[in-house]
Amino acid sequence: MKNYTITVNGNVYDVTVEEKGAGAAPAAAPAAAPAAAPAAPAPAPKAAGAGSIEVKAGAAGKVFKIEASVGQSVKRGDAVVIIEAMKMEIPVVAPEDGTVASIDAAVGDAVEAGAVLATLN
């Protein structure tokens, strides 16, 4: 437990916060559950042509734009998907050179941080 003193609009509040190591995981799990439902059909296509290199979302948000297409050659650092979070466009880039094997998200999908958005070979 940690104690903090917080001032909001001139009012002082004493706050006690309980730290839980697993506390962050359950908070992310309910948000991941809706994203898991649309992702459930994705494993079937991934098994057919999935690559060994995963391109993962760095932040939670909504898929704004798909920059690459299956079969396209990409270099390390090239944008594969653009995520919109807090009115900012955040590029999700290829972690290394390769060819796009699958795109596992669609424009408008809500994604969590760490979600696999594409794979590369």
Side-chain angles (χ1 to χ4, degrees), residues 3 5 8 15 29 53 73-74 80 97 120-121:
N3 294 319
T5 301
V8 179
V15 180
I53 304 162
S73 227
V74 292
V80 178
D97 296 356
L120 307 176
N121 284 326

Side-chain angles (χ1 to χ4, degrees), residues 51-67:
S52 58
I53 304 162
E54 295 180 333
V55 180
K56 296 182 179 183
K62 186 180 282 191
V63 176
F64 178 71
K65 186 176 182 183
I66 308 288
E67 289 283 323

Side-chain angles (χ1 to χ4, degrees), residues 18-27:
E18 182 178 348
E19 294 181 32
K20 289 188 177 182

Side-chain angles (χ1 to χ4, degrees), residues 46 50-56 74 93-102 104 116-121:
K46 282 180 79 176
S52 58
I53 304 162
E54 295 180 333
V55 180
K56 296 182 179 183
V74 292
V93 299
E96 56 188 81
D97 296 356
T99 303
V100 179
S102 67
D104 303 317
V116 176
L117 303 179
T119 59
L120 307 176
N121 284 326

